[in-house]
Amino acid sequence: MRRLLLTLPLCCVPLIAAGQTMGGDQASNAAWLQQQTTLKTTQPAQGSLLVQSSNGSTGGAQNDSTLAVNPLSGGTVNSSSLQYGIAPNVTAQAGVTQRSWITQPRIVGSEVGATYSAGRYSLGVSVAQDQVPNTTPLPRVVPGAVTGVNGLPDFDSSTQVNARGRFAFDNNSGVLLGASMGRIHLLPGNLMGLTTLDQKALSFGIDHGPISGSIIGRTMQPEPGVPNSYTADRRWNSIDLGVTWRLPWQGSLSFGAQNLWSSGNSTNTPVGPPEPDQGRTPYVQYHQDL
């Protein structure tokens, strides 16, 4: 089933197209900031096809609104996307993104969905999937910064449903709201002793000219009905905050903090294994499009 979701965008090129994947923003909330740009972009005319691709070195770009990689983890992102105008106000979309490090493994993601745009209002829904092809923990790139997804170095795959909407005040500013629900699968034998985690996320963003910012709240908990003496009733919450300034020379400056507020900790406890890493990580990052 995972492989089917991953290859679906490529099989549906004549029917669906994309704009939800990315290759430019830096922060852990890069997906939400990129979705602001997507919802602001002029939709392709009915019956027309728009193909885009990008690649670059970025600190935290993901194609999925609920996933967050440590902003210090580095890596290279390559993405391809399609948009197809179904009707005057409706665009279908699909995309594939691959994130790699000097050492394997990599994260491969896909997303399919549709966007409705009517003047000042835009609404998009999508289904996304991410997975690590190699069944080994994600690499540690720099000391103290584990390249885990949502603080989980034993990340294996995830599937989620996303919804986002934007209301434009004028041609230069607007408000973005988003929500996501999904399930994260962990590698066998992980220290938490769990196989799956349910995750929910909400976001609120504002953009004005070249400046955009967002706040994202996430919550994770074990899949209901799976007994575990330590984690059955556990819940991990976190809030990310980020601001991006798009510069006139095709560059961008991002700053903020991952896990600005969080519950839980990443140390061994007397009664069980480590929890997801939710340490606060401030960042300032610059990206240049070539």
Side-chain angles (χ1 to χ4, degrees), residues 177-217:
L177 298 174
S180 183
M181 296 180 61
R183 179 158 292 176
I184 296 175
H185 298 271
L186 303 179
L187 293 173
N190 63 84
L191 293 178
M192 294 183 65
L194 296 171
T195 57
T196 57
L197 291 169
D198 287 343
Q199 180 177 240
K200 301 178 180 68
L202 293 173
S203 84
F204 172 79
I206 298 177
D207 61 83
H208 179 71
I211 299 176
S212 58
S214 67
I215 182 169
I216 306 170

PDB file of all heavy atoms in Angstrom, residues 177-217:
ATOM      1  N   LEU A 177      -4.812  29.270   7.202  1.00  0.00           N
ATOM      2  CA  LEU A 177      -5.160  28.310   8.243  1.00  0.00           C
ATOM      3  C   LEU A 177      -4.975  26.909   7.686  1.00  0.00           C
ATOM      4  O   LEU A 177      -5.247  26.652   6.513  1.00  0.00           O
ATOM      5  CB  LEU A 177      -6.606  28.500   8.702  1.00  0.00           C
ATOM      6  CG  LEU A 177      -6.960  29.850   9.330  1.00  0.00           C
ATOM      7  CD1 LEU A 177      -8.464  29.925   9.604  1.00  0.00           C
ATOM      8  CD2 LEU A 177      -6.185  30.077  10.618  1.00  0.00           C
ATOM      9  N   GLY A 178      -4.514  26.004   8.525  1.00  0.00           N
ATOM     10  CA  GLY A 178      -4.290  24.639   8.073  1.00  0.00           C
ATOM     11  C   GLY A 178      -4.544  23.621   9.163  1.00  0.00           C
ATOM     12  O   GLY A 178      -4.488  23.933  10.359  1.00  0.00           O
ATOM     13  N   ALA A 179      -4.833  22.394   8.763  1.00  0.00           N
ATOM     14  CA  ALA A 179      -5.038  21.288   9.693  1.00  0.00           C
ATOM     15  C   ALA A 179      -4.587  20.003   9.024  1.00  0.00           C
ATOM     16  O   ALA A 179      -4.626  19.879   7.801  1.00  0.00           O
ATOM     17  CB  ALA A 179      -6.501  21.182  10.109  1.00  0.00           C
ATOM     18  N   SER A 180      -4.146  19.052   9.832  1.00  0.00           N
ATOM     19  CA  SER A 180      -3.660  17.785   9.308  1.00  0.00           C
ATOM     20  C   SER A 180      -3.867  16.684  10.330  1.00  0.00           C
ATOM     21  O   SER A 180      -3.759  16.910  11.542  1.00  0.00           O
ATOM     22  CB  SER A 180      -2.173  17.898   8.949  1.00  0.00           C
ATOM     23  OG  SER A 180      -1.704  16.705   8.390  1.00  0.00           O
ATOM     24  N   MET A 181      -4.176  15.489   9.821  1.00  0.00           N
ATOM     25  CA  MET A 181      -4.303  14.296  10.655  1.00  0.00           C
ATOM     26  C   MET A 181      -3.583  13.163   9.953  1.00  0.00           C
ATOM     27  O   MET A 181      -3.706  13.005   8.732  1.00  0.00           O
ATOM     28  CB  MET A 181      -5.772  13.933  10.884  1.00  0.00           C
ATOM     29  CG  MET A 181      -6.573  14.953  11.654  1.00  0.00           C
ATOM     30  SD  MET A 181      -8.301  14.433  11.886  1.00  0.00           S
ATOM     31  CE  MET A 181      -8.064  12.917  12.825  1.00  0.00           C
ATOM     32  N   GLY A 182      -2.843  12.370  10.730  1.00  0.00           N
ATOM     33  CA  GLY A 182      -2.123  11.268  10.098  1.00  0.00           C
ATOM     34  C   GLY A 182      -1.596  10.270  11.098  1.00  0.00           C
ATOM     35  O   GLY A 182      -1.821  10.378  12.304  1.00  0.00           O
ATOM     36  N   ARG A 183      -0.868   9.297  10.564  1.00  0.00           N
ATOM     37  CA  ARG A 183      -0.294   8.225  11.386  1.00  0.00           C
ATOM     38  C   ARG A 183       1.159   8.023  11.001  1.00  0.00           C
ATOM     39  O   ARG A 183       1.507   7.963   9.819  1.00  0.00           O
ATOM     40  CB  ARG A 183      -1.091   6.933  11.197  1.00  0.00           C
ATOM     41  CG  ARG A 183      -0.575   5.746  11.984  1.00  0.00           C
ATOM     42  CD  ARG A 183      -1.668   4.716  12.164  1.00  0.00           C
ATOM     43  NE  ARG A 183      -2.729   5.214  13.033  1.00  0.00           N
ATOM     44  CZ  ARG A 183      -3.854   4.540  13.305  1.00  0.00           C
ATOM     45  NH1 ARG A 183      -4.054   3.360  12.745  1.00  0.00           N
ATOM     46  NH2 ARG A 183      -4.763   5.040  14.113  1.00  0.00           N
ATOM     47  N   ILE A 184       2.027   7.952  12.009  1.00  0.00           N
ATOM     48  CA  ILE A 184       3.463   7.755  11.826  1.00  0.00           C
ATOM     49  C   ILE A 184       3.810   6.313  12.188  1.00  0.00           C
ATOM     50  O   ILE A 184       3.393   5.808  13.242  1.00  0.00           O
ATOM     51  CB  ILE A 184       4.272   8.718  12.711  1.00  0.00           C
ATOM     52  CG1 ILE A 184       4.013  10.174  12.278  1.00  0.00           C
ATOM     53  CG2 ILE A 184       5.758   8.422  12.637  1.00  0.00           C
ATOM     54  CD1 ILE A 184       4.682  11.193  13.185  1.00  0.00           C
ATOM     55  N   HIS A 185       4.564   5.646  11.337  1.00  0.00           N
ATOM     56  CA  HIS A 185       5.043   4.290  11.601  1.00  0.00           C
ATOM     57  C   HIS A 185       6.523   4.345  11.963  1.00  0.00           C
ATOM     58  O   HIS A 185       7.304   5.043  11.309  1.00  0.00           O
ATOM     59  CB  HIS A 185       4.840   3.403  10.376  1.00  0.00           C
ATOM     60  CG  HIS A 185       3.405   3.253   9.975  1.00  0.00           C
ATOM     61  ND1 HIS A 185       2.587   2.266  10.469  1.00  0.00           N
ATOM     62  CD2 HIS A 185       2.635   3.988   9.136  1.00  0.00           C
ATOM     63  CE1 HIS A 185       1.381   2.385   9.963  1.00  0.00           C
ATOM     64  NE2 HIS A 185       1.382   3.423   9.136  1.00  0.00           N
ATOM     65  N   LEU A 186       6.908   3.612  13.007  1.00  0.00           N
ATOM     66  CA  LEU A 186       8.287   3.577  13.482  1.00  0.00           C
ATOM     67  C   LEU A 186       8.954   2.268  13.081  1.00  0.00           C
ATOM     68  O   LEU A 186       8.279   1.254  12.860  1.00  0.00           O
ATOM     69  CB  LEU A 186       8.329   3.737  15.007  1.00  0.00           C
ATOM     70  CG  LEU A 186       7.678   5.005  15.570  1.00  0.00           C
ATOM     71  CD1 LEU A 186       7.774   5.006  17.092  1.00  0.00           C
ATOM     72  CD2 LEU A 186       8.307   6.263  14.992  1.00  0.00           C
ATOM     73  N   LEU A 187      10.278   2.314  13.004  1.00  0.00           N
ATOM     74  CA  LEU A 187      11.032   1.106  12.663  1.00  0.00           C
ATOM     75  C   LEU A 187      10.898   0.056  13.770  1.00  0.00           C
ATOM     76  O   LEU A 187      10.799   0.405  14.948  1.00  0.00           O
ATOM     77  CB  LEU A 187      12.507   1.452  12.464  1.00  0.00           C
ATOM     78  CG  LEU A 187      12.843   2.328  11.245  1.00  0.00           C
ATOM     79  CD1 LEU A 187      14.313   2.724  11.290  1.00  0.00           C
ATOM     80  CD2 LEU A 187      12.520   1.608   9.944  1.00  0.00           C
ATOM     81  N   PRO A 188      10.907  -1.226  13.426  1.00  0.00           N
ATOM     82  CA  PRO A 188      10.846  -2.273  14.447  1.00  0.00           C
ATOM     83  C   PRO A 188      12.044  -2.186  15.392  1.00  0.00           C
ATOM     84  O   PRO A 188      13.147  -1.810  14.986  1.00  0.00           O
ATOM     85  CB  PRO A 188      10.875  -3.571  13.631  1.00  0.00           C
ATOM     86  CG  PRO A 188      10.435  -3.179  12.260  1.00  0.00           C
ATOM     87  CD  PRO A 188      10.913  -1.769  12.058  1.00  0.00           C
ATOM     88  N   GLY A 189      11.798  -2.518  16.654  1.00  0.00           N
ATOM     89  CA  GLY A 189      12.876  -2.541  17.626  1.00  0.00           C
ATOM     90  C   GLY A 189      13.284  -1.186  18.155  1.00  0.00           C
ATOM     91  O   GLY A 189      14.343  -1.066  18.778  1.00  0.00           O
ATOM     92  N   ASN A 190      12.489  -0.152  17.945  1.00  0.00           N
ATOM     93  CA  ASN A 190      12.832   1.179  18.453  1.00  0.00           C
ATOM     94  C   ASN A 190      12.732   1.216  19.977  1.00  0.00           C
ATOM     95  O   ASN A 190      12.047   0.396  20.594  1.00  0.00           O
ATOM     96  CB  ASN A 190      11.933   2.237  17.827  1.00  0.00           C
ATOM     97  CG  ASN A 190      10.470   2.053  18.185  1.00  0.00           C
ATOM     98  OD1 ASN A 190      10.006   2.488  19.227  1.00  0.00           O
ATOM     99  ND2 ASN A 190       9.724   1.377  17.297  1.00  0.00           N
ATOM    100  N   LEU A 191      13.425   2.176  20.593  1.00  0.00           N
ATOM    101  CA  LEU A 191      13.525   2.242  22.053  1.00  0.00           C
ATOM    102  C   LEU A 191      12.190   2.551  22.728  1.00  0.00           C
ATOM    103  O   LEU A 191      11.995   2.229  23.897  1.00  0.00           O
ATOM    104  CB  LEU A 191      14.556   3.291  22.452  1.00  0.00           C
ATOM    105  CG  LEU A 191      16.005   2.983  22.079  1.00  0.00           C
ATOM    106  CD1 LEU A 191      16.918   4.136  22.491  1.00  0.00           C
ATOM    107  CD2 LEU A 191      16.449   1.682  22.734  1.00  0.00           C
ATOM    108  N   MET A 192      11.263   3.178  21.988  1.00  0.00           N
ATOM    109  CA  MET A 192       9.979   3.495  22.597  1.00  0.00           C
ATOM    110  C   MET A 192       9.085   2.268  22.713  1.00  0.00           C
ATOM    111  O   MET A 192       8.095   2.290  23.449  1.00  0.00           O
ATOM    112  CB  MET A 192       9.263   4.576  21.786  1.00  0.00           C
ATOM    113  CG  MET A 192       9.951   5.926  21.800  1.00  0.00           C
ATOM    114  SD  MET A 192       9.000   7.167  20.888  1.00  0.00           S
ATOM    115  CE  MET A 192       7.524   7.269  21.893  1.00  0.00           C
ATOM    116  N   GLY A 193       9.405   1.209  21.981  1.00  0.00           N
ATOM    117  CA  GLY A 193       8.592   0.010  22.034  1.00  0.00           C
ATOM    118  C   GLY A 193       7.242   0.175  21.372  1.00  0.00           C
ATOM    119  O   GLY A 193       6.290  -0.540  21.704  1.00  0.00           O
ATOM    120  N   LEU A 194       7.129   1.112  20.413  1.00  0.00           N
ATOM    121  CA  LEU A 194       5.874   1.373  19.724  1.00  0.00           C
ATOM    122  C   LEU A 194       6.041   1.132  18.227  1.00  0.00           C
ATOM    123  O   LEU A 194       7.150   1.199  17.699  1.00  0.00           O
ATOM    124  CB  LEU A 194       5.424   2.820  19.948  1.00  0.00           C
ATOM    125  CG  LEU A 194       5.088   3.222  21.391  1.00  0.00           C
ATOM    126  CD1 LEU A 194       4.876   4.724  21.473  1.00  0.00           C
ATOM    127  CD2 LEU A 194       3.840   2.487  21.867  1.00  0.00           C
ATOM    128  N   THR A 195       4.942   0.878  17.560  1.00  0.00           N
ATOM    129  CA  THR A 195       4.981   0.721  16.103  1.00  0.00           C
ATOM    130  C   THR A 195       4.344   1.898  15.386  1.00  0.00           C
ATOM    131  O   THR A 195       4.770   2.261  14.286  1.00  0.00           O
ATOM    132  CB  THR A 195       4.266  -0.567  15.673  1.00  0.00           C
ATOM    133  OG1 THR A 195       2.901  -0.538  16.156  1.00  0.00           O
ATOM    134  CG2 THR A 195       4.970  -1.790  16.246  1.00  0.00           C
ATOM    135  N   THR A 196       3.319   2.507  15.964  1.00  0.00           N
ATOM    136  CA  THR A 196       2.628   3.611  15.298  1.00  0.00           C
ATOM    137  C   THR A 196       2.288   4.713  16.293  1.00  0.00           C
ATOM    138  O   THR A 196       2.062   4.465  17.480  1.00  0.00           O
ATOM    139  CB  THR A 196       1.336   3.140  14.616  1.00  0.00           C
ATOM    140  OG1 THR A 196       0.497   2.510  15.601  1.00  0.00           O
ATOM    141  CG2 THR A 196       1.633   2.165  13.495  1.00  0.00           C
ATOM    142  N   LEU A 197       2.249   5.936  15.788  1.00  0.00           N
ATOM    143  CA  LEU A 197       1.825   7.105  16.549  1.00  0.00           C
ATOM    144  C   LEU A 197       0.813   7.873  15.711  1.00  0.00           C
ATOM    145  O   LEU A 197       0.999   8.053  14.506  1.00  0.00           O
ATOM    146  CB  LEU A 197       3.010   8.023  16.866  1.00  0.00           C
ATOM    147  CG  LEU A 197       4.065   7.517  17.855  1.00  0.00           C
ATOM    148  CD1 LEU A 197       5.277   8.437  17.833  1.00  0.00           C
ATOM    149  CD2 LEU A 197       3.487   7.444  19.270  1.00  0.00           C
ATOM    150  N   ASP A 198      -0.247   8.329  16.341  1.00  0.00           N
ATOM    151  CA  ASP A 198      -1.201   9.216  15.677  1.00  0.00           C
ATOM    152  C   ASP A 198      -0.753  10.660  15.889  1.00  0.00           C
ATOM    153  O   ASP A 198      -0.260  11.017  16.961  1.00  0.00           O
ATOM    154  CB  ASP A 198      -2.609   9.022  16.241  1.00  0.00           C
ATOM    155  CG  ASP A 198      -3.226   7.719  15.778  1.00  0.00           C
ATOM    156  OD1 ASP A 198      -2.718   7.138  14.803  1.00  0.00           O
ATOM    157  OD2 ASP A 198      -4.213   7.277  16.397  1.00  0.00           O
ATOM    158  N   GLN A 199      -0.938  11.484  14.865  1.00  0.00           N
ATOM    159  CA  GLN A 199      -0.505  12.868  14.963  1.00  0.00           C
ATOM    160  C   GLN A 199      -1.554  13.808  14.372  1.00  0.00           C
ATOM    161  O   GLN A 199      -2.190  13.486  13.373  1.00  0.00           O
ATOM    162  CB  GLN A 199       0.809  13.086  14.220  1.00  0.00           C
ATOM    163  CG  GLN A 199       1.298  14.533  14.311  1.00  0.00           C
ATOM    164  CD  GLN A 199       2.627  14.740  13.629  1.00  0.00           C
ATOM    165  OE1 GLN A 199       3.589  15.147  14.259  1.00  0.00           O
ATOM    166  NE2 GLN A 199       2.687  14.473  12.340  1.00  0.00           N
ATOM    167  N   LYS A 200      -1.716  14.949  15.025  1.00  0.00           N
ATOM    168  CA  LYS A 200      -2.592  16.014  14.545  1.00  0.00           C
ATOM    169  C   LYS A 200      -1.804  17.326  14.580  1.00  0.00           C
ATOM    170  O   LYS A 200      -0.914  17.499  15.408  1.00  0.00           O
ATOM    171  CB  LYS A 200      -3.850  16.132  15.408  1.00  0.00           C
ATOM    172  CG  LYS A 200      -4.698  14.871  15.473  1.00  0.00           C
ATOM    173  CD  LYS A 200      -5.891  15.072  16.384  1.00  0.00           C
ATOM    174  CE  LYS A 200      -6.751  13.812  16.456  1.00  0.00           C
ATOM    175  NZ  LYS A 200      -6.030  12.720  17.155  1.00  0.00           N
ATOM    176  N   ALA A 201      -2.142  18.231  13.657  1.00  0.00           N
ATOM    177  CA  ALA A 201      -1.447  19.508  13.595  1.00  0.00           C
ATOM    178  C   ALA A 201      -2.405  20.601  13.169  1.00  0.00           C
ATOM    179  O   ALA A 201      -3.316  20.374  12.360  1.00  0.00           O
ATOM    180  CB  ALA A 201      -0.261  19.440  12.633  1.00  0.00           C
ATOM    181  N   LEU A 202      -2.206  21.798  13.717  1.00  0.00           N
ATOM    182  CA  LEU A 202      -2.935  22.998  13.335  1.00  0.00           C
ATOM    183  C   LEU A 202      -1.934  24.108  13.077  1.00  0.00           C
ATOM    184  O   LEU A 202      -0.893  24.176  13.746  1.00  0.00           O
ATOM    185  CB  LEU A 202      -3.920  23.429  14.424  1.00  0.00           C
ATOM    186  CG  LEU A 202      -5.115  22.510  14.721  1.00  0.00           C
ATOM    187  CD1 LEU A 202      -5.873  23.025  15.942  1.00  0.00           C
ATOM    188  CD2 LEU A 202      -6.043  22.431  13.515  1.00  0.00           C
ATOM    189  N   SER A 203      -2.239  24.985  12.123  1.00  0.00           N
ATOM    190  CA  SER A 203      -1.322  26.092  11.858  1.00  0.00           C
ATOM    191  C   SER A 203      -2.094  27.366  11.575  1.00  0.00           C
ATOM    192  O   SER A 203      -3.230  27.348  11.079  1.00  0.00           O
ATOM    193  CB  SER A 203      -0.401  25.782  10.671  1.00  0.00           C
ATOM    194  OG  SER A 203      -1.039  26.092   9.453  1.00  0.00           O
ATOM    195  N   PHE A 204      -1.440  28.464  11.902  1.00  0.00           N
ATOM    196  CA  PHE A 204      -1.968  29.793  11.609  1.00  0.00           C
ATOM    197  C   PHE A 204      -0.826  30.615  11.052  1.00  0.00           C
ATOM    198  O   PHE A 204       0.249  30.692  11.656  1.00  0.00           O
ATOM    199  CB  PHE A 204      -2.528  30.454  12.876  1.00  0.00           C
ATOM    200  CG  PHE A 204      -2.923  31.897  12.672  1.00  0.00           C
ATOM    201  CD1 PHE A 204      -4.118  32.215  12.050  1.00  0.00           C
ATOM    202  CD2 PHE A 204      -2.087  32.919  13.092  1.00  0.00           C
ATOM    203  CE1 PHE A 204      -4.478  33.542  11.856  1.00  0.00           C
ATOM    204  CE2 PHE A 204      -2.441  34.241  12.906  1.00  0.00           C
ATOM    205  CZ  PHE A 204      -3.644  34.558  12.292  1.00  0.00           C
ATOM    206  N   GLY A 205      -1.023  31.210   9.881  1.00  0.00           N
ATOM    207  CA  GLY A 205       0.038  31.967   9.240  1.00  0.00           C
ATOM    208  C   GLY A 205      -0.460  33.290   8.710  1.00  0.00           C
ATOM    209  O   GLY A 205      -1.648  33.468   8.408  1.00  0.00           O
ATOM    210  N   ILE A 206       0.465  34.242   8.592  1.00  0.00           N
ATOM    211  CA  ILE A 206       0.187  35.564   8.037  1.00  0.00           C
ATOM    212  C   ILE A 206       1.295  35.910   7.061  1.00  0.00           C
ATOM    213  O   ILE A 206       2.475  35.645   7.326  1.00  0.00           O
ATOM    214  CB  ILE A 206       0.111  36.645   9.141  1.00  0.00           C
ATOM    215  CG1 ILE A 206      -1.035  36.352  10.107  1.00  0.00           C
ATOM    216  CG2 ILE A 206      -0.058  38.033   8.546  1.00  0.00           C
ATOM    217  CD1 ILE A 206      -1.133  37.325  11.265  1.00  0.00           C
ATOM    218  N   ASP A 207       0.927  36.470   5.913  1.00  0.00           N
ATOM    219  CA  ASP A 207       1.943  36.950   4.985  1.00  0.00           C
ATOM    220  C   ASP A 207       1.608  38.383   4.575  1.00  0.00           C
ATOM    221  O   ASP A 207       0.445  38.753   4.415  1.00  0.00           O
ATOM    222  CB  ASP A 207       2.041  36.054   3.754  1.00  0.00           C
ATOM    223  CG  ASP A 207       0.752  36.011   2.961  1.00  0.00           C
ATOM    224  OD1 ASP A 207       0.521  36.922   2.150  1.00  0.00           O
ATOM    225  OD2 ASP A 207      -0.034  35.056   3.137  1.00  0.00           O
ATOM    226  N   HIS A 208       2.653  39.191   4.423  1.00  0.00           N
ATOM    227  CA  HIS A 208       2.501  40.578   3.995  1.00  0.00           C
ATOM    228  C   HIS A 208       3.699  40.929   3.126  1.00  0.00           C
ATOM    229  O   HIS A 208       4.825  41.031   3.633  1.00  0.00           O
ATOM    230  CB  HIS A 208       2.430  41.526   5.190  1.00  0.00           C
ATOM    231  CG  HIS A 208       2.287  42.970   4.785  1.00  0.00           C
ATOM    232  ND1 HIS A 208       1.132  43.479   4.237  1.00  0.00           N
ATOM    233  CD2 HIS A 208       3.172  44.002   4.835  1.00  0.00           C
ATOM    234  CE1 HIS A 208       1.299  44.765   3.976  1.00  0.00           C
ATOM    235  NE2 HIS A 208       2.535  45.102   4.325  1.00  0.00           N
ATOM    236  N   GLY A 209       3.470  41.050   1.827  1.00  0.00           N
ATOM    237  CA  GLY A 209       4.572  41.314   0.920  1.00  0.00           C
ATOM    238  C   GLY A 209       5.600  40.201   0.971  1.00  0.00           C
ATOM    239  O   GLY A 209       5.270  39.017   0.880  1.00  0.00           O
ATOM    240  N   PRO A 210       6.870  40.550   1.166  1.00  0.00           N
ATOM    241  CA  PRO A 210       7.923  39.529   1.180  1.00  0.00           C
ATOM    242  C   PRO A 210       8.073  38.806   2.521  1.00  0.00           C
ATOM    243  O   PRO A 210       8.900  37.915   2.648  1.00  0.00           O
ATOM    244  CB  PRO A 210       9.183  40.336   0.863  1.00  0.00           C
ATOM    245  CG  PRO A 210       8.901  41.686   1.438  1.00  0.00           C
ATOM    246  CD  PRO A 210       7.420  41.921   1.243  1.00  0.00           C
ATOM    247  N   ILE A 211       7.308  39.184   3.526  1.00  0.00           N
ATOM    248  CA  ILE A 211       7.459  38.607   4.863  1.00  0.00           C
ATOM    249  C   ILE A 211       6.281  37.699   5.174  1.00  0.00           C
ATOM    250  O   ILE A 211       5.122  38.051   4.938  1.00  0.00           O
ATOM    251  CB  ILE A 211       7.566  39.709   5.936  1.00  0.00           C
ATOM    252  CG1 ILE A 211       8.787  40.591   5.668  1.00  0.00           C
ATOM    253  CG2 ILE A 211       7.651  39.103   7.325  1.00  0.00           C
ATOM    254  CD1 ILE A 211       8.919  41.755   6.623  1.00  0.00           C
ATOM    255  N   SER A 212       6.567  36.505   5.660  1.00  0.00           N
ATOM    256  CA  SER A 212       5.528  35.565   6.060  1.00  0.00           C
ATOM    257  C   SER A 212       5.951  34.875   7.349  1.00  0.00           C
ATOM    258  O   SER A 212       7.140  34.691   7.620  1.00  0.00           O
ATOM    259  CB  SER A 212       5.285  34.523   4.964  1.00  0.00           C
ATOM    260  OG  SER A 212       6.472  33.813   4.667  1.00  0.00           O
ATOM    261  N   GLY A 213       4.992  34.514   8.150  1.00  0.00           N
ATOM    262  CA  GLY A 213       5.278  33.822   9.400  1.00  0.00           C
ATOM    263  C   GLY A 213       4.153  32.876   9.748  1.00  0.00           C
ATOM    264  O   GLY A 213       3.024  33.012   9.263  1.00  0.00           O
ATOM    265  N   SER A 214       4.446  31.894  10.564  1.00  0.00           N
ATOM    266  CA  SER A 214       3.423  30.927  10.960  1.00  0.00           C
ATOM    267  C   SER A 214       3.754  30.327  12.310  1.00  0.00           C
ATOM    268  O   SER A 214       4.910  30.301  12.746  1.00  0.00           O
ATOM    269  CB  SER A 214       3.294  29.809   9.917  1.00  0.00           C
ATOM    270  OG  SER A 214       4.463  29.031   9.884  1.00  0.00           O
ATOM    271  N   ILE A 215       2.720  29.865  12.946  1.00  0.00           N
ATOM    272  CA  ILE A 215       2.841  29.131  14.203  1.00  0.00           C
ATOM    273  C   ILE A 215       2.122  27.803  14.010  1.00  0.00           C
ATOM    274  O   ILE A 215       1.022  27.757  13.461  1.00  0.00           O
ATOM    275  CB  ILE A 215       2.262  29.932  15.392  1.00  0.00           C
ATOM    276  CG1 ILE A 215       2.451  29.153  16.696  1.00  0.00           C
ATOM    277  CG2 ILE A 215       0.805  30.301  15.166  1.00  0.00           C
ATOM    278  CD1 ILE A 215       2.145  29.976  17.928  1.00  0.00           C
ATOM    279  N   ILE A 216       2.783  26.711  14.413  1.00  0.00           N
ATOM    280  CA  ILE A 216       2.267  25.368  14.182  1.00  0.00           C
ATOM    281  C   ILE A 216       2.215  24.617  15.505  1.00  0.00           C
ATOM    282  O   ILE A 216       3.213  24.570  16.235  1.00  0.00           O
ATOM    283  CB  ILE A 216       3.154  24.585  13.195  1.00  0.00           C
ATOM    284  CG1 ILE A 216       3.344  25.371  11.906  1.00  0.00           C
ATOM    285  CG2 ILE A 216       2.552  23.218  12.889  1.00  0.00           C
ATOM    286  CD1 ILE A 216       4.392  24.781  11.000  1.00  0.00           C
ATOM    287  N   GLY A 217       1.087  24.031  15.802  1.00  0.00           N
ATOM    288  CA  GLY A 217       0.945  23.189  16.976  1.00  0.00           C
ATOM    289  C   GLY A 217       0.761  21.744  16.568  1.00  0.00           C
ATOM    290  O   GLY A 217      -0.006  21.447  15.643  1.00  0.00           O
TER     291      GLY A 217
END
